[in-house]
Amino acid sequence: ADLHVEEATSANLEEMADLWREVAPSRQFSTAFDADGLRRWIDRAPGLSVGDYLLARDRQRRLIGFVGMWDQREMKTLRVLRYSPALSVLRSVVTALAPLVGATPPPPIGQPLHYASAVHLCVPTNRPDVLRALVLGAYQRLRGTERVFMNVALDARESLTAALGGLLATPTAIHAYATMPSGAWTGGALDDRPLHFETALV
């Protein structure tokens, strides 16, 4: 009730970059952005626009979080090759229920699987309520479109994972390793800050 989620415009890039500069140092391997850098990144990304970003504001209209939802079909496509027996049963159930709830059923075998991936997730680590508002806002926005699911990547150690509690989510564990082109990691010492991981770039 205290949060409002809205679509971003180019006029919001400055405040988005300001918030990014506040939040990014709390995570390891976050990209350094100013407004121009963020604009260039978005302009170069196939199928992504500023309007694909959602902003979370408090009652005073302060920006307290944002995330982009990137439909990447212009650069890569997943195609269903088969369903396991369990998923085949689940697909039948979901397909039957989808028209009732405005959802998109999983496609038949051989068809593309459309989805959206979170990009530039920018939420303070102590505000899972903000991330939940953004995720639910993205769900409402994507509901009834061709996207079957959305990807959100979080370090399993951080408190933002609480934002996904109670949602129909399928966790996928990913192990991250820091290396250098020459081999072992020789960069700065890594601490216990959570990892920033752009799942959209995988």
Side-chain angles (χ1 to χ4, degrees):
D2 293 332
L3 300 174
H4 172 71
V5 175
E6 64 189 28
E7 184 178 300
T9 69
S10 295
N12 302 126
L13 286 172
E14 286 287 351
E15 60 178 337
M16 290 168 65
D18 288 344
L19 182 62
W20 184 270
R21 282 193 291 269
E22 290 180 22
V23 173
S26 67
R27 295 183 174 87
Q28 302 193 79
F29 298 108
S30 291
T31 304
F33 277 129
D34 58 15
D36 288 338
L38 183 57
R39 181 182 290 106
R40 287 194 300 270
W41 201 102
I42 295 170
D43 288 344
R44 289 197 302 261
L48 182 66
S49 70
V50 175
D52 293 317
Y53 286 74
L54 294 177
L55 312 179
R57 297 187 183 278
D58 62 16
R59 286 186 172 181
Q60 288 73 45
R61 299 288 301 160
R62 292 175 300 198
L63 180 65
I64 50 176
F66 68 85
V67 66
M69 279 296 166
W70 188 6
D71 184 332
Q72 299 177 292
R73 71 183 78 182
E74 288 189 24
M75 59 182 286
K76 62 181 180 181
T77 302
L78 290 181
R79 192 171 299 277
V80 178
L81 299 181
R82 66 182 178 87
Y83 287 106
S84 68
L87 279 179
S88 294
V89 173
L90 179 61
R91 177 178 179 269
S92 299
V93 173
V94 172
T95 299
L97 294 176
L100 304 176
V101 297
T104 300
I109 291 174
Q111 295 301 307
L113 182 66
H114 298 306
Y115 62 97
S117 291
V119 62
H120 300 142
L121 174 60
C122 183
V123 176
T125 56
N126 64 341
R127 294 300 302 269
D129 59 319
V130 174
L131 177 57
R132 190 174 183 86
L134 288 167
V135 168
L136 293 178
Y139 169 75
Q140 290 296 337
R141 190 173 186 223
L142 298 174
R143 187 177 179 184
T145 67
E146 295 178 311
R147 288 83 154 201
V148 177
F149 66 92
M150 56 185 173
N151 286 324
V152 178
L154 295 169
D155 190 317
R157 301 170 300 162
E158 69 174 305
S159 60
L160 287 180
T161 57
L164 306 180
L167 302 179
L168 183 60
T170 303
T172 300
I174 297 173
H175 296 276
Y177 300 89
T179 64
M180 305 289 281
S182 57
W185 173 259
T186 57
L190 303 179
D191 52 36
D192 60 354
R193 289 174 298 161
L195 171 71
H196 178 83
F197 175 68
E198 290 290 4
T199 188
L201 300 183
V202 176

